[in-house]
Amino acid sequence: MRSLFILYIGFSSLAFGEQIKVDDLYSKNCSGCHGAKFEGGQGGSLVDGQWKNGSTDKDIYQSIAKGNPQLGMTPWEGTLNNDQIRALVIFLREKEKQHLTQGMSFPTPSPDKVTKTELHDYRIETIIDQGLKNPWAIAFLPDGRKLITEKAGRLRIITSDGKLDPVAIEGTPPVIEHGQGGMMEVALHPDYPTNGWVYLGISDGTREKGASGKDKVRCITAVVRGKIKDHQWTSQEWIYRPDPKFRSGAGVHFGTRFVFDKGYIYFVVGERGGLMEAQNLSLPNGKIHRLFDDGRVPSDNPFVKTPDAIPSIWSYGHRNPQGLTMDRRDGSLYDTEHGPRGGDEVNRIKPGSNYGWPVITYGMNYNGTPMVSITEKDGMEQPLTYWVPSIAPSGLDFYNGDQFPKWQNDLFAGALAQQEIRRIHLVDQKVVSQEIILKNIGRVRDVATGPDGFLYVILNDPDRLIRLVPAEN
Ligand code: HEC
């Protein structure tokens, strides 16, 4: 598979030569008639939301590929390749969205005012705004305290009266803070009150001084559990620690996030920039895994009998899921994952299924070069919904508290780049509507229903913990 991957890269660069960026494709081939700002000229506006020849991605693809020579629109299919036409569709979608939302300002939530949303009005309460550094995830202890991870490798306590304990938990496993990786997920075992297990998702590996003086890092996502006695991490056990041969130097796409259910733990290992490696069942990256919560492999996992496959794999073809949660009504598992530029996804995770990365995607490369033209393929799952432009999805949770009754069983998805929280309403396991309920107060890293029914939010830049409480309170 590794050699196939090299072939694949080699083939695409051979076939298409130097990749032209989509902005350049547009300005060279299209702006003469459609305007430098997409506002229209000889050809119509491409950002006003009006599409005479059909408004789906497929229609727009066809409009570009087939053109309309009689009316003066060039057919581009001989000149541009499929990937380039597809990248232009994504690009026009981004521009259309930017244009249509320009000047639409979401009221910035602040502690001294009420923020109105479709179903509930809320206030924000700041719990911690000093002393946290790159907080990543939150877990709620039964005694009212909270645990928060910091990316650099510290596990912090928030006391039951809402103060940040200045002393971090001592003796937690060392983490390799590298790019997006470090100490990430924290979650309690469902039977925590009796067994005391706390689970951490970390970037595990080695950091050595290389010959050039530059650090040489090798790491991968791992899952470890332990117990907290006073301020000490004790009784540590590895739940999932991949063979060191799977570690990589890449600083991207670590995944993590845990879901516990019926004695199992589900967790994510991001694809680490390995693209086609997400399709390779003999590698752990780009996969959602399932183990018993003590680390044993369930004998009914989908690939336990597949030669060379990693037996903990539950689903594959994932890029970088950083949201994972379960609908407790029917046991369905959902993820949100970062696509490339455009193409962030919400998926319902089914055992043994292939979610398609990087063979199919609704996105293109970050630098604006085209990726692939296909968004669907037999044997690969479609997302429930996708976001172009990207929102950069992070923590994900079903709301199941009692403070916001009309939000019951809706999905709340945090977003880093778009600095927002989306409420996603599902009916019969399908996304039927979405609403932005919070925006513009920082990068949203984690969203979680608290045992008190308030919606807790971890923000980065600036780093803090807030919660949403009903406006009536
Ligand atoms: C020579 C002028 C010209 C150039 C160059 C041109 N277009 Fe067009 N385009 C037109 C005209 C005129 C129409 C309207 C045709 C019609 O009414 O069906 C059109 C229609 C379209 C439509 C359909 C719009 C709708 O409302 O359904 C799309 C999409 C589009 N062009 C994209 C592009 C892209 C992308 C490029 C560059 C790769 C491009 N065009 C280059 C003139 C041009």
Side-chain angles (χ1 to χ4, degrees):
M1 226 18 174
R2 273 175 195 272
S3 56
L4 242 181
F5 172 55
I6 292 163
L7 251 177
Y8 168 88
I9 293 273
F11 173 74
S12 43
S13 49
L14 259 183
F16 311 133
E18 189 65 13
Q19 288 265 41
I20 306 168
K21 291 188 181 151
V22 70
D23 315 55
D24 298 334
L25 280 178
Y26 180 85
S27 47
K28 183 160 163 261
N29 301 302
C30 326
S31 64
C33 294
H34 290 285
K37 297 201 166 91
F38 318 91
E39 71 279 16
Q42 191 181 332
S45 164
L46 298 175
V47 290
D48 59 2
Q50 310 289 320
W51 300 98
K52 276 190 292 184
N53 303 291
S55 63
T56 67
D57 278 16
K58 278 198 184 109
D59 296 333
I60 298 170
Y61 186 100
Q62 287 302 314
S63 295
I64 302 171
K66 304 285 177 213
N68 189 337
Q70 275 179 333
L71 292 174
M73 167 66 181
T74 324
W76 289 97
E77 60 189 348
T79 319
L80 303 177
N81 67 46
N82 298 346
D83 300 357
Q84 290 172 321
I85 297 176
R86 173 67 198 149
L88 279 165
V89 175
I90 301 167
F91 181 68
L92 293 181
R93 285 298 194 200
E94 287 178 348
K95 299 297 170 193
E96 176 191 24
K97 183 80 182 236
Q98 277 163 15
H99 181 81
L100 295 178
T101 53
Q102 217 170 38
M104 263 170 62
S105 59
F106 189 92
T108 304
S110 76
D112 50 13
K113 74 176 203 221
V114 170
T115 301
K116 294 191 180 305
T117 78
E118 283 168 21
L119 301 178
H120 283 290
D121 299 341
Y122 69 84
R123 287 178 196 280
I124 57 172
E125 283 180 5
T126 304
I127 298 171
I128 306 290
D129 60 359
Q130 296 286 319
L132 281 174
K133 191 152 183 272
N134 285 323
W136 219 92
I138 184 166
F140 301 90
L141 293 166
D143 60 8
R145 292 180 304 158
K146 299 163 188 73
L147 296 172
I148 291 200
T149 50
E150 291 181 325
K151 184 165 145 278
R154 294 200 298 177
L155 183 58
R156 309 294 303 265
I157 295 177
I158 292 171
T159 60
S160 45
D161 58 351
K163 304 264 183 323
L164 180 64
D165 191 326
V167 184
I169 308 286
E170 279 167 36
T172 51
V175 310
I176 302 296
E177 190 191 18
H178 180 50
Q180 298 164 3
M183 187 177 283
M184 298 171 284
E185 176 71 318
V186 57
L188 305 185
H189 189 283
D191 299 328
Y192 174 87
T194 50
N195 65 25
W197 287 120
V198 176
Y199 288 67
L200 294 174
I202 62 170
S203 153
D204 169 49
T206 53
R207 182 191 300 273
E208 287 158 14
K209 275 268 167 274
S212 62
K214 261 181 103 182
D215 278 2
K216 200 164 160 255
V217 172
R218 308 281 305 161
C219 57
I220 190 163
T221 310
V223 181
V224 61
R225 71 177 178 186
K227 300 184 184 188
I228 296 170
K229 295 262 147 63
D230 301 320
H231 277 82
Q232 193 65 37
W233 178 257
T234 65
S235 318
Q236 175 172 302
E237 292 177 1
W238 289 97
I239 299 301
Y240 176 75
R241 194 178 201 192
D243 189 302
K245 72 180 181 201
F246 296 127
R247 293 175 182 166
S248 101
V252 296
H253 309 168
F254 289 80
T256 82
R257 301 288 183 200
F258 305 153
V259 166
F260 291 93
D261 185 50
K262 300 191 182 80
Y264 302 112
I265 178 173
Y266 297 84
F267 58 93
V268 187
V269 180
E271 124 297 29
R272 306 300 309 290
L275 294 142
M276 276 311 263
E277 295 177 7
Q279 292 291 321
N280 183 343
L281 291 172
S282 65
L283 299 171
N285 46 324
K287 315 293 178 334
I288 292 176
H289 299 253
R290 183 181 78 155
L291 288 171
F292 285 117
D293 56 34
D294 61 2
R296 286 173 301 127
V297 177
S299 61
D300 58 347
N301 265 5
F303 301 109
V304 276
K305 297 202 176 70
T306 309
D308 299 331
I310 306 269
S312 53
I313 294 175
W314 184 248
S315 62
Y316 65 111
H318 298 286
R319 186 173 179 275
N320 190 26
Q322 291 203 321
L324 187 70
T325 191
M326 184 171 276
D327 189 341
R328 299 292 167 183
R329 293 171 298 179
D330 63 0
S332 291
L333 194 64
Y334 293 88
D335 84 353
T336 44
E337 51 186 287
H338 294 257
R341 174 167 160 188
D344 292 348
E345 300 180 352
V346 180
N347 290 298
R348 191 165 82 85
I349 305 301
K350 294 175 286 179
S353 295
N354 180 355
Y355 289 83
W357 174 256
V359 179
I360 55 172
T361 172
Y362 286 88
M364 62 176 150
N365 292 311
Y366 280 114
N367 66 5
T369 55
M371 229 175 133
V372 290
S373 61
I374 56 166
T375 54
E376 294 169 26
K377 196 171 176 174
D378 278 352
M380 296 186 180
E381 300 297 320
Q382 281 293 301
L384 300 181
T385 191
Y386 62 92
W387 291 295
V388 176
S390 293
I391 64 167
S394 55
L396 181 72
D397 202 11
F398 277 96
Y399 179 76
N400 45 30
D402 52 13
Q403 296 283 349
F404 297 104
K406 293 178 190 154
W407 285 354
Q408 276 293 332
N409 299 312
D410 282 347
L411 258 181
F412 286 77
L416 295 158
Q418 293 291 338
Q419 302 197 0
E420 65 195 23
I421 297 177
R422 281 176 183 249
R423 180 179 63 83
I424 300 172
H425 187 59
L426 298 169
V427 174
D428 297 335
Q429 304 169 337
K430 295 198 173 61
V431 172
V432 295
S433 62
Q434 291 184 49
E435 178 197 8
I436 296 170
I437 61 144
L438 174 150
K439 201 167 173 66
N440 293 336
I441 57 170
R443 290 159 64 79
V444 177
R445 180 59 76 177
D446 201 9
V447 182
T449 311
D452 50 16
F454 300 127
L455 193 68
Y456 284 77
V457 183
I458 291 185
L459 297 163
N460 291 168
D461 312 326
D463 295 329
R464 56 211 198 283
L465 174 67
I466 64 164
R467 66 181 180 190
L468 275 49
V469 303
E472 310 74 78
N473 274 29

